[in-house]
Amino acid sequence: MSNPAGGQKPLGPDWLSSAAASPEVSSAGFGFYVHVPFCASRCGYCDFNTYTATELGPGVSREAYAQQVRAEIRLAAARFPTVPKVDTVFFGGGTPTLLPAGDLVAILGEIRDQFGLAADAEVTTEANPESVSADYLRQLRQGGFTRLSLGMQSTASHVLTILDRQHSPQRALDAVGWARSAGFDHVSLDLIYGTPGETAADFENTLRAVIDSGVDHVSAYALIIEQGTALARRVRRNEVPQPSDDVAADRYLAAEKLLTQAGFTWYEVSNWARSDSDHCRHNLQYWRGGHWWGAGPGAHSSLPGVRWWNVKHPARYAAALSESRLPIEDHESLTVDDQYLETVMLRTRLRDGMRVSSLREDGIAAARQVVADGLADADAFEEGTIQLTLPGRLLADAVIRDLTT
């Protein structure tokens, strides 16, 4: 797809023009991420770039947001001498589904108009269960969305209370049914485990409910206490205990056991799917070194050799676009060492692993020890690939440190 500006030289800083002109841009697939920074309330564990209505300040409104993002998409397309076709689109947040369904469809339409979508493009939105209805999901599906990722976290009411989640345990399960009725072929449920007060039975009941719901994808993450969050303050005041690493490991083993028995297979340390076609292709682009443009406040983008990020606050974001400027805060050029570190960090977490030949000499020596310790599969290593075993997945961060130091 040629540049909408008629093939003129892309505008903007030299580093962006150079990266956008690279033939590597679409060689590994090209994605589009849209950040929607609005939340109805702030979850106690969350440190994402999100804002409730009372935190937005003057000059910012949800009603104007879709037009602002569409303006950024148009400015983005003008930066490419040859606009790459988009393989995957992911709306994240925040809570994208706090916007009207028509706004999300309009943003997707702008991406289609300016960049073009691959015939089999995957289009995902995250959603909180309380922010969607059967009619809302029908509108999204009719507007071109193909995949829904619902933040369920748990079916235990007391766990949801600790996390400051607003939905009831049943609401997420109802939303799965609405999504299927709307025609979504791919529906994911996201879980958090290791919350203070969660029992082994609580998590098992959650897993069984997820399996029975008929979803094709599950993401499960250990609760991390992020500094500056409400939950961190509660832990500091000894109102709730610090999550236990041992408990988190037990929960992960339970997830692996029950999901595997139900026909799911892990394809990334924290993600399971019923089949290869149910993998989240957008996230795989991140993990496999693809490229993407991130639109919205605080969104990050990646093109060959460079990474940049937008201004964080929606007011500053809106102000830049009102002046027809890309809302870029700053950028970094990725060194060979940076790219090597990212490759090892991301690909090691995948079930298909990474090639041993991609490691440096000291990394290969470390990999041999990782295999000797039972953290990577010995047969796969002999065939030239590092693939984590189940114990290795539990210690993935440590394995990555060993391979890169």
Side-chain angles (χ1 to χ4, degrees):
M1 187 172 181
S2 62
N3 185 288
Q8 298 174 0
K9 183 179 179 180
L11 304 174
D14 290 343
W15 59 263
L16 179 53
S17 297
S18 176
S22 170
E24 298 177 33
V25 167
S26 58
S27 62
F30 188 78
F32 221 101
Y33 172 75
V34 179
H35 186 68
V36 180
F38 308 120
C39 282
S41 62
R42 184 171 295 283
C43 297
Y45 60 91
C46 179
D47 72 338
F48 292 168
N49 186 41
T50 62
Y51 304 83
T52 64
T54 58
E55 296 170 334
L56 285 173
V60 181
S61 70
R62 292 181 193 168
E63 291 74 18
Y65 189 70
Q67 290 301 326
Q68 293 162 3
V69 174
R70 292 177 70 182
E72 183 183 355
I73 293 166
R74 291 191 292 272
L75 290 172
R79 269 53 184 178
F80 291 88
T82 302
V83 181
K85 185 167 287 189
V86 174
D87 300 290
T88 65
V89 183
F90 196 103
F91 287 71
T95 307
T97 46
L98 279 182
L99 296 181
D103 282 3
L104 299 187
V105 171
I107 293 170
L108 176 61
E110 195 70 58
I111 295 171
R112 182 186 295 110
D113 291 345
Q114 299 298 324
F115 285 82
L117 290 178
D120 63 344
E122 173 194 86
V123 183
T124 303
T125 186
E126 294 180 334
N128 283 348
E130 73 276 12
S131 67
V132 297
S133 64
D135 181 63
Y136 188 102
L137 294 178
R138 278 195 297 271
Q139 292 180 60
L140 289 185
R141 184 67 191 95
Q142 291 168 2
F145 284 75
T146 66
R147 188 173 180 277
L148 182 69
S149 180
L150 288 158
M152 181 183 192
Q153 318 316 350
S154 176
T155 58
S157 295
H158 64 278
V159 172
L160 295 176
T161 297
I162 290 290
L163 296 174
D164 291 323
R165 300 290 291 182
Q166 301 301 306
H167 61 86
S168 67
Q170 183 60 38
R171 182 75 179 195
L173 302 174
D174 290 342
V176 171
W178 299 335
R180 291 301 195 197
S181 296
F184 280 88
D185 291 329
H186 300 292
V187 183
S188 176
L189 284 172
D190 296 349
L191 307 179
I192 290 178
Y193 57 84
T195 302
E198 177 194 68
T199 66
D202 290 333
F203 189 56
E204 180 175 337
N205 290 338
T206 295
L207 288 168
R208 294 194 182 282
V210 167
I211 292 165
D212 291 344
S213 74
V215 296
D216 52 272
H217 188 282
V218 179
S219 299
Y221 303 98
L223 177 64
I224 297 174
I225 304 298
E226 302 287 359
Q227 293 306 308
T229 62
L231 189 55
R233 291 190 289 274
R234 295 188 67 189
V235 169
R236 191 167 58 248
R237 294 193 296 263
N238 294 319
E239 295 175 7
V240 295
Q242 180 78 26
S244 163
D245 290 342
D246 290 341
V247 168
D250 289 343
R251 299 287 186 271
Y252 186 89
L253 293 173
E256 170 66 11
K257 177 182 177 180
L258 290 177
L259 290 171
T260 299
Q261 289 175 349
F264 289 81
T265 303
W266 79 281
Y267 70 99
E268 191 274 342
V269 169
S270 299
N271 291 271
W272 292 258
R274 289 191 185 273
S275 70
D276 289 354
S277 64
D278 300 322
H279 295 175
C280 179
R281 288 165 47 202
H282 184 84
N283 285 341
L284 279 170
Q285 293 217 72
Y286 295 153
W287 297 323
R288 289 175 174 166
H291 305 295
W292 71 93
W293 191 288
H300 284 60
S301 302
S302 179
L303 289 178
V306 68
R307 187 78 40 81
W308 73 95
W309 49 96
N310 284 348
V311 295
K312 292 187 70 172
H313 198 280
R316 293 184 62 203
Y317 177 77
L321 291 165
S322 71
E323 299 172 357
S324 297
R325 291 187 293 109
L326 281 172
I328 295 173
E329 176 75 33
D330 206 349
H331 79 286
E332 60 180 349
S333 296
L334 301 178
T335 66
V336 171
D337 287 345
D338 292 334
Q339 294 178 63
Y340 175 76
L341 179 61
E342 286 196 1
T343 296
V344 178
M345 287 178 61
L346 297 175
R347 297 205 176 213
T348 301
R349 293 179 60 88
L350 294 174
R351 180 183 178 89
D352 53 13
M354 69 172 294
R355 299 299 298 170
V356 175
S357 59
S358 298
L359 289 171
R360 293 172 176 171
E361 186 174 344
D362 53 353
I364 294 175
R368 292 194 180 95
Q369 186 59 51
V370 166
V371 171
D373 292 339
L375 304 180
D377 185 85
D379 292 337
F381 185 77
E382 288 301 316
E383 295 175 2
T385 303
I386 299 170
Q387 293 178 341
L388 296 179
T389 61
L390 180 54
R393 286 149 62 191
L394 291 173
L395 296 171
D397 290 345
V399 170
I400 291 165
R401 282 196 300 272
D402 289 345
L403 296 178
T404 55
T405 55

